[in-house]
Amino acid sequence: MVARDLRPVCAVGATLGEGPVWDVARGALWFVDIKGRRLHRFDPVTGALASQDAPAEIGWALPADDGTLLAGLQDGLWRFDPGGGGFAPFLAVEPDRPGNRLNDATVDAAGRLWFGSMDNGEAEASGRLYRFDDAGIIDSGLPPVVITNGPAFSPDGRTLYHTDTLGGVVHAAPVSEDGTVGAPRPFARIDPADGYPDGPAVDAEGCVWTGLFGGWGVRRYAPTGELIETMRFPVANVTKIAFGGPDLTTVYATTARKGLDAAALAAQPLAGDLFAFTVDVPGLATPLIRIAA
């Protein structure tokens, strides 16, 4: 694997940039600023950025098969109309846990949405991982953690990667065809001195990439859990990557200004911006959420 040509591509200055996803049909990247309550759409051809205010803190917005986006806000799932630019509530999540919010998500090959919650105060182990499909919202059964990140799936869809950010562990768990999740095992452990594992993504070789919050970059792990590559960034808080472009070899990375004091911000003027670099092993396209009747 060769990662090269790291560059800033869009000045956003996000407090907590997150949730990048490549929209194949539209040829654009969606991502969010969670704390800024903004949904962004970046067009790499023109360099244009279109932004929309969200009704609450927004963790992600992923394309669905009916042409809308399904977004994870603080209180649950919302629909977003890219044409009209409006948000509409869809399904409440964890109404009994008002201190939680939704944080990260992905879609499996069957079109099922997988997403996690977390304690917005980043103290209580109240974050859980859920699956949304025709049966509704189902708890995955994985142990709760303070901050969930991911999940992401292996190329064959049989392994789910799920991150306990404050615990510094990326877990791997088997997944059956019906979406049942088996017992997790530690896949990779990251020393807090090297940063905290944030959002994961998987490439076509089955290697797992993770952003490093406070770790100045991203890491790539072999399917066996061996660290095989590190990409260094000029900003400390790298949150998540997404593979994009026509051949999925352009990697986009969101970053954050959250937690940086005035001196750190002065030393990191690009903190919170969107970055890109090129790889020779492509990523995997994110399937559309199956939502249409």
Side-chain angles (χ1 to χ4, degrees):
M1 162 64 83
V2 177
R4 57 189 180 275
D5 191 25
L6 177 67
R7 60 207 183 270
V9 293
C10 187
V12 186
T15 301
L16 185 53
E18 260 290 6
V21 61
W22 180 252
D23 188 330
V24 174
R26 298 179 178 92
L29 184 86
W30 297 96
F31 65 104
V32 303
D33 180 353
I34 296 176
K35 296 301 181 181
R37 301 185 176 190
R38 299 277 279 173
L39 172 62
H40 299 295
R41 180 185 183 275
F42 173 67
D43 183 336
V45 174
T46 64
L49 181 72
S51 302
Q52 174 74 39
D53 288 331
E57 293 184 5
I58 176 171
W60 43 268
L62 302 176
D65 61 2
D66 64 352
T68 67
L69 303 185
L70 195 58
L73 272 67
Q74 185 160 357
D75 60 353
L77 303 180
W78 288 58
R79 305 289 291 276
F80 175 74
D81 176 8
F87 284 88
F90 182 58
L91 284 174
V93 178
E94 299 183 338
D96 58 330
R97 299 188 186 103
N100 274 11
R101 65 170 174 83
L102 303 190
N103 191 53
D104 200 4
T106 194
V107 186
D108 68 16
R112 297 175 294 209
L113 171 70
W114 297 75
F115 63 95
S117 64
M118 62 168 280
D119 173 26
N120 210 10
E122 301 182 10
E124 301 296 326
S126 59
R128 288 168 168 80
L129 184 71
Y130 297 96
R131 183 184 81 241
F132 166 70
D133 57 21
D134 294 339
I137 297 175
I138 309 297
D139 191 322
S140 70
L142 291 176
V145 298
V146 179
I147 300 176
T148 63
N149 263 296
F153 287 91
S154 59
D156 64 5
R158 303 307 298 271
T159 301
L160 176 148
Y161 298 100
H162 174 246
T163 300
D164 172 1
T165 293
L166 289 189
V169 183
V170 180
H171 293 281
V175 184
S176 64
E177 289 187 7
D178 67 0
T180 301
V181 180
R185 59 175 173 82
F187 170 76
R189 296 185 184 274
I190 296 177
D191 190 306
D194 296 326
Y196 292 90
D198 209 309
V202 178
D203 64 29
E205 291 184 343
C207 294
V208 180
W209 294 73
T210 183
L212 295 174
F213 198 96
W216 297 87
V218 297
R219 286 183 172 184
R220 182 179 185 241
Y221 290 86
T224 57
E226 175 190 3
L227 176 61
I228 54 178
E229 188 170 3
T230 299
M231 186 77 175
R232 180 82 174 175
F233 276 62
V235 296
N237 300 329
V238 185
T239 53
K240 189 172 183 177
I241 70 160
F243 295 90
D247 55 3
L248 299 178
T249 59
T250 299
V251 179
Y252 294 97
T254 47
T255 67
R257 297 166 63 89
K258 181 177 180 287
L260 301 179
D261 60 19
L265 288 172
Q268 302 173 46
L270 301 178
D273 289 350
L274 181 69
F275 288 77
F277 59 94
T278 305
V279 292
D280 55 3
V281 175
L284 304 170
T286 301
L288 297 176
I289 300 169
R290 192 181 68 236
I291 200 170

